[in-house]
Amino acid sequence: MIVNVWFALLQTQTPGLPEHRVSDIFRPLATPGTAEKNIALLTLAITGAIFIVVGGLIAFTIWRFRRKPDDNSRQEPAQVYGSNQIEVAWTVIPILIVFVLIGVSARVIAGVQNASPPPSMLKVRLIGHQWWWEVQYPDYGFVTANEIHVPITSESKTATYLQLESLDVIHSFWVPQLAGKTDLIPNRVNYMWIDPQEPGIYLGNCAEYCGTQHANMLLRVVAEPKADFGQWVAEEQKPAATDGRVAEGKAAFESLACVNCHTVKGTPSIGKFGPDLTHLMSRQTLASGVLTNTPQHLRAWVNDPQEIKPGCLMPSMKLTDRPLDQVVSYLESLN
Ligand code: CUA
């Protein structure tokens, strides 16, 4: 259901408006997310009960021992110091509660971490950058960005294993409906796995402050039926499309500093610092989920990325209208 709502929202999205919806951890659609939701509910139930008991006692005391209209004595009530029974109770009960929560959490964490990967698992290497996600499919030999396509597990029986790394600072992978947060740490490799059961677009974001555009480091997981996933993989594996009509744009692109940071497979552009653009048009969004991928947005982004994501590491090339249009036409041919 919620998946349909997403699609509806996606389709009706007003151009120019950034997408900032964070999805609901209480409606998980994958195994790790479900396990974590259950802990969240248990914790809420326990802390909710504590809140009601403590709040109720305070409210009752305030009401029961309020000053009566005929009480003019101005005397303090009897002062009681020390009660072994009460002190033991308020020490032992919280300790028991804390140990229950520790035990349940440890069991769930171990269950998620120790789940043995099926041999047919899909491997995805996710690398955090300021402020976008590099998505590598080592078994298929291609690289994309900001959108992780995976087959739905209910059909393919294959979970997706994520190898999480960072090239600069600490980021954190978080797609609330699929799994809890897992950090991407420089010089360290972390793992997480996801097994979305229903097709859909699962929205996520970086969950560890990583600099000025942290809030605009958005991520989406596109879970699709096996056949669609296979088709997507086949398209991504192809070299970049060559279209004679955009030859001027291609030449302009390759004469600019764009090539230092971006790869377009099968062309002289082999930069690795920014997102791979080989199949840019197959992506739904630009600038790590900040803009929908429309020609107007692409033009605005190339014209001045700093206008859209101030502080981001892509400079404005200060192009005049004609070369800007040519470069954008070239990028639009990268489908
Ligand atoms: Cu990357 Cu916050």
Side-chain angles (χ1 to χ4, degrees):
M1 208 288 280
I2 195 151
V3 168
N4 297 337
V5 173
W6 274 334
F7 278 128
L9 283 171
L10 201 73
Q11 279 151 9
T12 57
Q13 209 197 3
T14 324
L17 284 183
E19 209 171 331
H20 284 308
R21 301 186 306 277
V22 172
S23 51
D24 188 349
I25 66 159
F26 290 106
R27 307 183 77 163
L29 290 166
T31 307
T34 306
E36 285 145 17
K37 181 196 85 171
N38 292 339
I39 295 194
L41 289 181
L42 177 72
T43 310
L44 272 178
I46 292 176
T47 52
I50 294 173
F51 176 77
I52 287 168
V53 168
V54 172
L57 282 173
I58 291 175
F60 172 76
T61 311
I62 290 171
W63 172 79
R64 172 71 182 76
F65 299 103
R66 71 195 185 283
R67 169 177 286 219
K68 309 280 173 5
D70 57 343
D71 177 8
N72 294 317
S73 64
R74 295 195 176 275
Q75 263 181 2
E76 287 198 352
Q79 304 294 300
V80 180
Y81 295 99
S83 161
N84 284 342
Q85 285 105 317
I86 292 177
E87 286 181 17
V88 167
W90 76 41
T91 307
V92 171
I93 293 173
I95 289 176
L96 291 178
I97 292 172
V98 166
F99 273 98
V100 166
L101 288 175
I102 290 175
V104 173
S105 305
R107 210 184 69 183
V108 168
I109 291 169
V112 170
Q113 281 183 350
N114 301 342
S116 49
S120 60
M121 68 182 179
L122 170 67
K123 283 190 221 98
V124 173
R125 188 170 171 219
L126 189 63
I127 300 175
H129 296 256
Q130 284 174 318
W131 288 277
W132 61 283
W133 309 83
E134 181 178 346
V135 187
Q136 298 183 357
Y137 287 76
D139 294 340
Y140 296 120
F142 66 85
V143 183
T144 178
N146 305 324
E147 295 170 16
I148 308 174
H149 284 244
V150 302
I152 48 172
T153 303
S154 46
E155 193 192 47
S156 66
K157 306 287 172 234
T158 298
T160 301
Y161 277 76
L162 301 164
Q163 178 175 327
L164 306 170
E165 298 169 48
S166 171
L167 272 189
D168 38 46
V169 299
I170 300 177
H171 304 273
S172 189
F173 167 85
W174 192 33
V175 182
Q177 286 196 297
L178 299 182
K181 301 166 186 172
T182 311
D183 282 359
L184 291 77
I185 299 171
N187 298 317
R188 188 191 152 86
V189 180
N190 277 344
Y191 296 92
M192 180 38 83
W193 56 281
I194 51 175
D195 59 347
Q197 306 293 327
E198 292 177 22
I201 298 162
Y202 298 82
L203 300 182
N205 51 279
C206 181
E208 178 68 46
Y209 182 72
C210 54
T212 164
Q213 285 296 335
H214 156 70
N216 284 329
M217 188 166 165
L218 309 178
L219 172 71
R220 48 183 65 200
V221 172
V222 182
E224 48 200 1
K226 202 175 174 183
D228 294 353
F229 175 73
Q231 200 177 0
W232 176 80
V233 167
E235 290 295 325
E236 294 292 311
Q237 283 174 319
K238 291 179 185 162
T242 45
D243 183 343
R245 287 169 298 176
V246 295
E248 282 177 325
K250 183 170 185 290
F253 181 87
E254 287 166 6
S255 72
L256 292 163
C258 312
V259 296
N260 295 337
C261 293
H262 294 287
T263 291
V264 181
K265 217 160 36 179
T267 78
S269 311
I270 51 167
K272 298 276 185 230
F273 192 66
D276 186 303
L277 301 179
T278 308
H279 297 289
L280 176 63
M281 286 303 119
S282 74
R283 303 206 278 265
Q284 299 162 346
T285 62
L286 300 169
S288 199
V290 171
L291 299 171
T292 48
N293 190 356
T294 65
Q296 297 88 330
H297 287 163
L298 182 60
R299 193 179 192 279
W301 172 254
V302 175
N303 181 44
D304 190 1
Q306 300 302 321
E307 186 81 11
I308 291 158
K309 257 175 117 160
C312 77
L313 302 183
M314 174 161 154
S316 166
M317 289 295 145
K318 307 260 189 284
L319 299 177
T320 53
D321 275 351
R322 200 173 136 71
L324 178 62
D325 287 334
Q326 288 174 334
V327 166
V328 171
S329 312
Y330 170 57
L331 294 174
E332 276 169 37
S333 77
L334 300 174
N335 47 31

